[in-house]
Amino acid sequence: MRGACPEGWHLPTIEEWRILLKTDNSSTGARLKSTFGWLDDGNGMDSFGFSVLPSGYGLFNYTDNNVSTSFWSSTDETFYGTMAYQVGFHYINYSLDVRRREKWHASSVRCIKDSE
């Protein structure tokens, strides 16, 4: 699915996110997060240049701007249809999670370059 991404790029599926997150189960969040900007020394190591910044998320307005961020996947929740999967990064313990959210929630996107 391209939609939010420019030509030659796509919004990752939840499976593509899971592949990335399996890089190192114990510290993946720390290894993907930026080295600055997170609350209470929740900064990461940015080992891969992925540089996840704490952009927060939106319900009725943006919140948690320096403590979390969520990224959309292109994978819809098939049962509900109005939901999709997200990957969330948090400042505490470098935790990560995969969750379902209603599509009207505001979250960030990261695009993946299409394979040739």
Side-chain angles (χ1 to χ4, degrees):
M1 171 182 195
R2 195 168 70 72
C5 299
E7 188 72 36
W9 296 75
H10 68 277
L11 198 61
T13 65
I14 198 61
E15 289 309 314
E16 288 172 314
W17 273 110
R18 285 184 173 139
I19 289 167
L20 175 65
L21 300 178
K22 285 183 184 175
T23 305
D24 177 356
N25 288 338
S26 63
S27 63
T28 301
R31 295 179 71 177
L32 295 173
K33 286 168 57 177
S34 67
T35 58
F36 62 92
W38 292 86
L39 182 69
D40 294 336
D41 288 328
N43 297 323
M45 297 178 281
D46 197 17
S47 303
F48 307 107
F50 198 73
S51 302
V52 174
L53 292 167
S55 62
Y57 64 93
L59 296 173
F60 300 105
N61 59 2
Y62 263 83
T63 187
D64 287 348
N65 292 349
N66 62 348
V67 300
S68 71
T69 195
S70 295
F71 294 101
W72 283 116
S73 78
S74 62
T75 306
D76 284 336
E77 169 54 65
T78 55
F79 181 73
Y80 295 103
T82 60
M83 301 179 84
Y85 284 94
Q86 288 181 330
V87 174
F89 290 80
H90 308 282
Y91 77 100
I92 300 171
N93 300 325
Y94 307 115
S95 63
L96 294 165
D97 60 43
V98 175
R99 59 183 166 232
R100 293 184 319 231
R101 287 277 192 228
E102 293 86 0
K103 291 181 182 180
W104 54 266
H105 283 226
S107 291
S108 300
V109 296
R110 290 295 286 256
C111 299
I112 296 178
K113 188 170 178 129
D114 295 343
S115 57
E116 310 240 349

